[in-house]
Structures are given as structure tokens and as C-alpha cells.
Amino acid sequence: QPWRQDAGATVFAPFKQESDYFGDPSQVFMVNFRVRDLDAMIAQLVSAGVEVTRDPKNPYPTGCFAWLKDPEGNTIEIWQPAGEVYS
């Protein structure tokens, strides 16, 4: 049974050890944050001087994704789920 909040389930999804999804073979996990408005979040981060990379394959059936790095260089994913449109 997953941990559930109003926004949905919290999921721990392991990847294969040889996965290159994280962009760095030494990174073995990644935090993924659900955001209400991906474009607004990217704009806010960029205005604060954070480099953000939007997934060029967006949108996916599950939503839209982008990535940034924490101060230690670990990749963090931000995600706006499909069908969640806010104004």
C-alpha cells in the first residue's frame, strides 16, 4: 500500500543498477517533486539562477518533466502530472 496524500501516492521506484536515467552512473537515486505548474516553477528557478533542463520529449502520457542539480550535483526531477492544469 503506497503512502497517499491529497495530491496522490508517494512512490519509491527502484531503477536497474546500470540505468543511465540519472545522467551520472555514481548517482543511485533521485528525488522527484510533483509541481502544480511546471512552466512557472522553471521560471522561478531560472530567475533565481538555477540551471533547469526541460525534457525535450515532453509531454509524456504521465506528464511533463524537467531536471536541475542540487548543490552537491545530484539530479532532481520536477514533474507536472498529465491532466493537472492550473491557471
Side-chain angles (χ1 to χ4, degrees):
Q1 189 79 358
W3 176 29
R4 298 200 59 83
Q5 304 83 219
D6 290 340
T10 295
V11 178
F12 295 93
F15 283 68
K16 292 185 178 185
Q17 186 172 3
E18 61 275 2
S19 173
D20 63 353
Y21 186 79
F22 305 121
D24 177 352
S26 67
Q27 186 172 343
V28 295
F29 71 92
M30 177 171 46
V31 176
N32 173 301
F33 291 102
R34 178 190 309 243
V35 298
R36 295 177 57 88
D37 183 331
L38 186 66
D39 293 331
M41 180 57 68
I42 290 171
Q44 182 179 355
L45 289 164
V46 169
S47 72
V50 177
E51 184 177 331
V52 180
T53 304
R54 181 186 297 272
D55 190 325
K57 298 178 186 172
N58 282 334
Y60 291 90
T62 55
C64 296
F65 298 84
W67 302 280
L68 58 134
K69 300 281 186 180
D70 74 9
E72 295 177 353
N74 299 302
T75 301
I76 296 172
E77 186 170 73
I78 52 177
W79 164 58
Q80 180 178 339
E84 292 189 17
V85 179
Y86 300 92
S87 54

